[in-house]
Amino acid sequence: MTKQHTTDTATGTFTFAGWDERPVAGADGGARIAHAAVSNDYTGAVEATGTSCEYTIAYTSETVGTFVGYEFVDGTLAGRSGSFVIEQRGSFGADGTIECSFTVLPGSGTGDLAGLTGAGSFTARSGQATTPYSLAYAVAG
């Protein structure tokens, strides 16, 4: 008999704890590719400090572009301890707004988070100290 999995929603905020961006190819002010190593601190349903996130960023102008990345989160989710990886895809505009959708990488959950699946999003706005996130998730088992 298979256990039914209920979907829960995790919400909270995160702050950028560090951002190290380096150019890869292209011209300043025009189309170019960059790499960014980022760390975040999460509060709320996800509690984690100093996550490790790697982004590849494609700029189409000085302030507009898209990105993809992976973030390793080690901490707790709704009181369950473990780690997991999220895959992120998003875009940013000239006004500084960042829109991002993400999914939990299947099979990446460890500890009490083994079997974790889910998807979520965030919108970061220029000038905000913290960014709200939402993650709809289930844990097998």
Side-chain angles (χ1 to χ4, degrees), residues 28-124:
D28 282 343
R32 67 189 191 284
I33 295 174
H35 175 264
V38 178
S39 62
N40 295 309
D41 293 336
Y42 284 83
T43 60
V46 175
E47 292 284 341
T49 57
T51 66
S52 180
C53 185
E54 298 291 325
Y55 288 118
T56 298
I57 306 165
Y59 288 90
T60 54
S61 73
E62 185 62 33
T63 57
V64 176
T66 61
F67 62 91
V68 296
Y70 290 93
E71 184 170 16
F72 181 82
V73 179
D74 187 8
T76 61
L77 169 58
R80 295 174 179 241
S81 296
S83 62
F84 57 96
V85 174
I86 54 176
E87 179 180 27
Q88 302 180 24
R89 294 186 173 275
S91 62
F92 51 94
D95 66 354
T97 300
I98 301 168
E99 298 282 349
C100 181
S101 296
F102 56 86
T103 57
V104 174
L105 189 65
S108 69
T110 67
D112 295 338
L113 298 174
L116 177 66
T117 58
S121 64
F122 68 81
T123 300

Side-chain angles (χ1 to χ4, degrees), residues 110-139:
T110 67
D112 295 338
L113 298 174
L116 177 66
T117 58
S121 64
F122 68 81
T123 300
R125 301 192 192 288
S126 182
Q128 279 185 326
T130 61
T131 298
Y133 65 83
S134 179
L135 168 66
Y137 72 94
V139 180

